[in-house]
Amino acid sequence: MSLLDRTQQPVSGKIRQFDFPEVQTGPLPNGLNLKICVLPRLPIVSVNLFLRAGEGSLVEGRAGTAVLTGDALEGGTLKRSGSSLAEALEGIGARLGVSTGWEGTSISVSVLADRLPEAFALLAEVALEPDFPSVEVDRVREQQLADIRQRSMDPSALASDEVSRRFYAEGLPYARPQVGTESSISSVTRDQIRGYAEACYRPGSGGLIIVGDVDPEQIRSLSGEYFGSWIGSSSVVDNFRVDAQTRERRVWILDRPGSVQSEVRLGHVGVARTTPNYLPLSIGNLLLGGTFTSRLNLNLRERNGFTYGVRSRFSFRSQPGPFQVSTAVGNEVTASAVREILSELESLVIDGVTREEVDAARDYAAGVFGLHLETADQIASRLNQILVYGLPDDYYHLYRDNIRSVSTEEVTSAVRAHIRPDEVQVIIVGDAESILGSVDALELGPLEVV
Amino acid sequence: MNQLAIPLERHCLDNGLKIVLSQDNTVPIVAVNIWYGVGSRNELPGHTGFAHLFEHMMFQGSKHVPKNKHFELIECAGGTLNATTWFDRTNYFETVPSRDLELALWLESDRMGWMLPAMDQEKLDNQRDVVKNEKRQRYDNQPYGDWDQRLQALIYPKDHPYHHPVIGSVEDLDAATLEDVAAFFSTYYVPNNAVLTIAGDFDESQVINLVQRYFGEIEAGAPIPPLPGDPCLEPIIGDTVREHVFAEVPLARVIMGFRIPPYSSEDFAVAEVSRALLGMGRASRLYRALVRERRVAKGVVTYAFPLLTNASMLLTWATGYPDSTPEQLEAALTEEIEALAEAKQSEVDRAIALTETDLVRALEHVGERANLLSMFDLYFDDPDRLNHEIDRLRAVTVEQIRDFATSQLGSDNRAVLVYEPKRKS
């Protein structure tokens, strides 16, 4: 055997064409968007019901209602108690999940294919006939309040909440934690929760997404049987204003005495999911702080050893979510880390991006896309994105081609349009006594210890 | 559901490297996964945390691959990668579009065979800082962050290899030298102490030749030395041992641990199913009783650690509400755990059904498939065990669970770790 020349990196093989799986789409007469995707690889099915019942459309005093309503679904239905519901689901090996976000509530079930009809019936029962017994509503409220207490001592959660509070103008939905506040949660009544479900758990502009080892005919018939006579549309409109709290660069130190590390967040209000700059901006973010070999991580972790890791991220929502760089660094290097992050943002915007970086980030995005088409849940979550943000039905079929056609110039102009180093809010959760002097010496802008 | 039928094929190279191949062409991606039979249990006194620090060094380049090139090449290929260190093993893995299988094999083989020429002091110092930051972020700066260290110390005696935490101590990390890196590499990172699994989309006629080409010329190492310390252990702790910590935590939490049979024992299946009855899902005993009905805990967690060295551990914890006392939490946990001695068949059926769904969902990922196949090969010399996991659990009887509750979950085998919010003065 001839010895291998190890200095030569292997050449990639031929790319294997692979398309996003075929999806059968069509609304039921009541407006519920039905999407079916057959994935026969393993005998598993994911069923997801998306409802326009999100936190973004709630007024301040009612914040947390959508989350509490979703949480309280496990409290039981008109037909069975919470415990019996759990037993009915888990007895057939079904995993029920409820997640509530800014845009809506997703109720989902994962189950082996041979138990699908029973799981389908239970999912419909949970969504259409919830009971919300007082004792269970009180319990999930107490749990949520206890969570808030837990967050108040978790440095990373504290930093996230501070981002919302300092980036957005007071009183806006995105200025508060997604779960609501202690006072709003405490004041939500059981009747309000019932009323909320009654008004917002409606088929119109919602979706039912089924992915897995299924027969589409059977799905259509089950959907008609369990969801066909359900009517109405959610009253919710996600159309609120999003203003920054300030355009002045400021520094906020949230004192957490005794911290051995500083949680750092640095950024400002970003941009909505529907921006035409979505793809170039995503590429720009990847090379800034979205991969291991991004500019930020190579600088802060691999060159300086300041941190275990650093990321940057645009939270794309129906309205502009935050853009932020996040990391945790040692007390003694906190100021240096902030300076490095800011200088990376500045050089990104001033010098723009290189063709090599854009090529690498595009290749990454196009390749990783395929890695996330393995499971029923992954595909269902993509289909959900189409629904939530009104993307075209062929969005993911064209995704890779569209990613590959993003140009260096488009990336540079997108990051210049949406990243503004002069307007960043610098948020640090840490031991003020150890870090204040050096952070203040950076002279980034008005500094407040809170 | 019918019997799982994940296909697999086994090989062994002359240097002792074990290979598992599992084809699935549905999606054009492939997972490459290596388990090395070394973890924190192999660390000598004064070297705690070294196995994990070493894992970081494995990403710092090798003879033919410059620093950070490993990450860069996999990311440019559109792949993901990582590694983890645990008590009994260290694993390295990447999932890539199938056209780049050879790239992954080149990178993994280069660091298996030629890591040391690329090591230098600067890289060691850099990764030592990174790891110290990881420790601060994940343990030191987190409420309850030191629980595993405290619980291990209660369940395993001082000279047992599971007594110390995987992350190690700062003093030991500071003491690590390049000589240690070299010695650790030559002792443990040898093909005869590793399993390589490739799962997903590959060309069946080519793949073993590729593996042979990249890994075949790596020289076998010496046999792996015995574990340091004294791994011998009684099957139960022999008492209720406890520690009460007043700390900067928001809510009281009671953690209860038990010594249980090791993963390699047939009785481990009984422990696994027992823990599922206690804490898997919302119809489980602890969720129903502590969270839903008595409302003494806001959440419960249970886990049976799959550990090899003579005894594993079963963990349960309950986190209270602002007005719950640790005494209430402990009493409720104790009562429900002891009541497992009256377990019913319907609970066992529920636990098996959920476990089955979870396993199939995990197997949707080729990366997870590869990871489990590597584990079963390294630990049990039997990757096909993956296809029989559910049968193994299904064979557990309700009588065995009742006996287990009596013999392993009683007051003579209990470690109780209590976190209580520090009283404000």
Side-chain angles (χ1 to χ4, degrees):
Chain A
M1 193 183 76
S2 67
L3 273 188
L4 178 68
D5 178 6
R6 292 198 159 264
T7 60
Q8 295 304 307
Q9 174 194 334
V11 180
S12 298
K14 213 169 138 264
I15 200 157
R16 200 185 118 191
Q17 200 48 47
F18 183 73
D19 291 325
F20 192 82
E22 196 187 322
V23 181
Q24 305 185 19
T25 297
L28 297 181
N30 59 11
L32 186 66
N33 288 286
L34 183 63
K35 290 180 187 290
I36 307 169
C37 176
V38 180
L39 207 67
R41 186 165 167 233
L42 282 167
I44 189 97
V45 186
S46 173
V47 184
N48 299 264
L49 179 65
F50 174 77
L51 304 167
R52 300 274 170 190
E55 282 290 333
S57 51
L58 290 160
V59 297
E60 203 173 359
R62 293 285 177 86
T65 307
V67 171
L68 276 186
T69 306
D71 287 357
L73 287 175
E74 71 147 321
T77 68
L78 299 176
K79 292 181 183 149
R80 60 193 104 212
S81 71
S83 290
S84 318
L85 175 64
E87 276 174 17
L89 284 160
E90 294 175 3
I92 57 169
R95 284 278 187 190
L96 175 75
V98 179
S99 76
T100 310
W102 293 109
E103 284 90 8
T105 297
S106 284
I107 309 173
S108 59
V109 153
S110 276
V111 70
L112 293 180
D114 56 358
R115 307 311 289 265
L116 175 66
E118 295 142 281
F120 212 91
L122 286 165
L123 174 72
E125 190 180 315
V126 167
L128 274 59
E129 303 173 85
D131 185 33
F132 304 116
S134 306
V135 61
E136 289 283 49
V137 169
D138 288 345
R139 167 175 70 90
V140 298
R141 186 205 321 278
E142 291 306 314
Q143 281 177 298
Q144 204 59 260
L145 291 171
D147 272 349
I148 289 178
R149 173 167 310 206
Q150 261 182 317
R151 290 175 67 81
S152 73
M153 292 183 86
D154 174 348
S156 153
L158 281 171
S160 301
D161 290 349
E162 202 63 15
V163 161
S164 312
R165 185 177 304 131
R166 302 301 172 193
F167 283 17
Y168 291 94
E170 210 180 323
L172 295 179
Y174 291 170
R176 64 192 187 226
Q178 196 188 273
V179 295
T181 62
E182 210 164 330
S183 72
S184 69
I185 292 170
S186 302
S187 71
V188 176
T189 65
R190 178 204 182 203
D191 285 346
Q192 285 168 345
I193 283 177
R194 285 190 152 179
Y196 185 77
E198 185 69 27
C200 300
Y201 286 12
R202 290 289 163 188
S205 74
L208 181 62
I209 297 164
I210 296 106
V211 182
D213 186 12
V214 295
D215 166 14
E217 275 314 307
Q218 186 197 21
I219 295 297
R220 271 188 280 271
S221 131
L222 286 170
S223 307
E225 183 181 347
Y226 291 105
F227 294 99
S229 55
W230 190 27
I231 51 162
S233 273
S234 167
S235 50
V236 155
V237 200
D238 266 358
N239 190 18
F240 48 91
R241 276 180 36 244
V242 170
D243 302 321
Q245 190 172 105
T246 172
R247 304 198 63 166
E248 176 186 31
R249 188 158 71 194
R250 303 189 65 152
V251 184
W252 307 91
I253 295 180
L254 186 62
D255 190 19
R256 185 172 176 271
S259 291
V260 295
Q261 224 178 14
S262 302
E263 284 284 345
V264 177
R265 303 287 183 275
L266 197 150
H268 49 60
V269 173
V271 62
R273 174 63 179 84
T274 46
T275 173
N277 280 329
Y278 178 77
L279 290 179
L281 196 54
S282 299
I283 296 292
N285 181 65
L286 280 176
L287 62 88
L288 171 67
T291 62
F292 188 90
T293 42
S294 66
R295 292 181 177 197
L296 283 167
N297 202 52
L298 288 186
N299 179 339
L300 269 73
R301 173 178 155 135
E302 294 299 298
R303 197 151 63 238
N304 281 305
F306 290 161
T307 178
Y308 179 47
V310 51
R311 304 291 276 185
S312 65
R313 190 160 94 99
F314 280 89
S315 302
F316 291 107
R317 303 174 182 164
S318 67
Q319 306 296 326
F323 157 71
Q324 62 186 305
V325 176
S326 54
T327 187
V329 297
N331 293 348
E332 67 291 351
V333 297
T334 300
S336 312
V338 168
R339 195 191 55 227
E340 288 302 317
I341 293 169
L342 203 52
S343 86
E344 290 291 354
L345 294 185
E346 281 163 353
S347 75
L348 179 75
V349 170
I350 293 167
D351 306 332
V353 300
T354 67
R355 176 172 299 277
E356 292 70 33
E357 287 177 300
V358 170
D359 282 351
R362 288 191 317 199
D363 288 346
Y364 173 75
V368 159
F369 176 71
L371 262 51
H372 296 152
L373 300 178
E374 274 191 288
T375 74
D377 281 351
Q378 288 170 335
I379 290 172
S381 104
R382 301 266 149 144
L383 296 179
N384 202 48
Q385 297 280 304
I386 288 182
L387 199 73
V388 174
Y389 299 111
L391 307 174
D393 279 340
D394 59 359
Y395 183 82
Y396 288 111
H397 292 87
L398 302 176
Y399 178 82
R400 273 199 280 208
D401 289 344
N402 288 336
I403 273 284
R404 290 208 174 93
S405 67
V406 170
S407 72
T408 308
E409 295 70 33
E410 285 172 320
V411 176
T412 295
S413 81
V415 298
R416 283 184 180 148
H418 298 293
I419 297 178
R420 300 179 298 277
D422 293 345
E423 294 180 22
V424 296
Q425 304 302 299
V426 180
I427 286 151
I428 305 172
V429 178
D431 184 63
E433 200 184 315
S434 350
I435 60 178
L436 180 59
S438 54
V439 172
D440 199 25
L442 294 173
E443 296 184 347
L444 299 177
L447 183 153
E448 202 170 320
V449 179
V450 290
Chain B
M1 195 187 75
N2 295 328
Q3 179 68 48
L4 270 177
I6 303 297
L8 64 95
E9 199 183 294
R10 301 181 74 191
H11 298 269
C12 188
L13 303 189
D14 291 343
N15 56 19
L17 179 65
K18 298 206 288 174
I19 316 291
V20 184
L21 305 173
S22 177
Q23 203 186 31
D24 175 350
N25 294 333
T26 30
V27 185
I29 63 176
V30 64
V32 172
N33 178 295
I34 301 186
W35 279 45
Y36 290 93
V38 59
S40 63
R41 72 170 179 171
N42 301 90
E43 290 161 351
L44 298 166
H47 291 73
T48 64
F50 190 79
H52 171 244
L53 176 60
F54 186 91
E55 174 224 298
H56 277 246
M57 297 306 289
M58 282 284 274
F59 288 93
Q60 295 301 305
S62 47
K63 186 174 175 189
H64 310 100
V65 181
K67 176 173 159 106
N68 289 327
K69 205 68 187 168
H70 191 114
F71 273 103
E72 188 187 314
L73 290 172
I74 294 291
E75 288 190 337
C76 281
T80 56
L81 68 166
N82 214 332
T84 70
T85 306
W86 219 36
F87 300 91
D88 301 322
R89 54 73 180 165
T90 309
N91 63 354
Y92 297 82
F93 45 89
E94 40 271 310
T95 302
V96 292
S98 40
R99 66 194 292 229
D100 283 307
L101 170 61
E102 206 173 332
L103 173 69
L105 297 176
W106 175 62
L107 291 168
E108 286 297 355
S109 63
D110 210 57
R111 60 184 178 182
M112 183 187 286
W114 295 269
M115 180 224 198
L116 290 184
M119 292 300 107
D120 63 36
Q121 190 63 40
E122 193 184 337
K123 289 176 176 175
L124 178 61
D125 292 340
N126 168 254
Q127 289 304 306
R128 193 197 326 264
D129 283 345
V130 170
V131 168
K132 282 156 82 174
N133 272 308
E134 179 178 359
K135 181 175 185 303
R136 288 187 197 117
Q137 185 176 338
R138 294 173 57 175
Y139 303 89
D140 306 344
N141 210 31
Q142 283 298 322
Y144 319 102
D146 55 2
W147 72 268
D148 51 352
Q149 176 169 359
R150 293 180 189 275
L151 188 69
Q152 282 169 248
L154 287 174
I155 292 183
Y156 299 102
K158 196 157 179 44
D159 44 2
H160 191 277
Y162 297 152
H163 183 81
H164 71 272
V166 175
I167 195 72
S169 73
V170 169
E171 304 77 66
D172 289 357
L173 289 170
D174 279 335
T177 64
L178 278 177
E179 290 69 42
D180 295 331
V181 172
F184 204 77
F185 178 77
S186 320
T187 309
Y188 297 110
Y189 279 75
V190 289
N192 43 307
N193 194 33
V195 175
L196 163 67
T197 300
I198 302 173
D201 180 34
F202 54 76
D203 181 345
E204 239 167 343
S205 63
Q206 288 298 318
V207 64
I208 196 66
N209 292 335
L210 279 179
V211 171
Q212 176 66 41
R213 189 172 138 100
Y214 283 99
F215 290 86
E217 58 179 315
I218 301 171
E219 280 181 35
I224 304 307
L227 293 177
D230 180 7
C232 294
L233 205 61
E234 294 298 321
I236 58 172
I237 301 171
D239 202 354
T240 295
V241 291
R242 50 175 70 242
E243 185 176 3
H244 198 111
V245 185
F246 289 94
E248 294 288 345
V249 295
L251 300 164
R253 175 176 291 171
V254 172
I255 304 178
M256 217 176 257
F258 306 87
R259 222 181 261 175
I260 58 170
Y263 195 19
S264 47
S265 148
E266 285 187 13
D267 291 337
F268 188 81
V270 182
E272 269 181 292
V273 179
S274 300
R275 100 86 204 158
L277 262 63
L278 283 174
M280 182 186 243
R282 298 195 162 178
S284 65
R285 284 174 169 258
L286 293 181
Y287 189 87
R288 175 200 278 256
L290 272 62
V291 178
R292 197 193 290 275
E293 289 172 0
R294 299 165 72 164
R295 291 166 62 184
V296 58
K298 73 173 277 280
V300 290
V301 169
T302 59
Y303 185 51
F305 286 68
L307 302 180
L308 296 175
T309 314
N310 294 325
S312 194
M313 61 177 152
L314 188 142
L315 162 91
T316 61
W317 86 39
T319 306
Y321 286 104
D323 56 356
S324 314
T325 66
E327 292 73 25
Q328 284 173 318
L329 289 170
E330 183 179 341
L333 266 180
T334 304
E335 193 179 318
E336 292 304 325
I337 291 169
E338 288 181 348
L340 196 62
E342 284 117 50
K344 298 192 299 284
Q345 185 60 41
S346 61
E347 296 174 82
V348 180
D349 297 341
R350 181 196 67 91
I352 298 292
L354 271 188
T355 308
E356 200 170 2
T357 303
D358 290 354
L359 178 64
V360 174
R361 287 178 79 184
L363 293 176
E364 289 185 275
H365 300 272
V366 287
E368 195 51 39
R369 255 182 231 202
N371 201 45
L372 289 169
L373 290 167
S374 290
M375 175 175 77
F376 289 137
D377 194 314
L378 183 75
Y379 284 3
F380 307 117
D381 197 25
D382 179 18
D384 192 45
R385 179 170 154 145
L386 178 60
N387 285 318
H388 304 283
E389 263 310 85
I390 296 295
D391 299 334
R392 196 175 62 83
L393 298 174
R394 201 174 267 137
V396 172
T397 66
V398 71
E399 289 75 28
Q400 284 177 302
I401 291 173
R402 292 174 185 160
D403 290 348
F404 176 82
T406 314
S407 63
Q408 299 282 157
L409 304 182
S411 58
D412 56 354
N413 187 31
R414 197 177 284 158
V416 184
L417 172 59
V418 175
Y419 282 92
E420 187 168 353
K422 219 182 233 175
R423 296 184 187 105
K424 300 270 181 275
S425 49

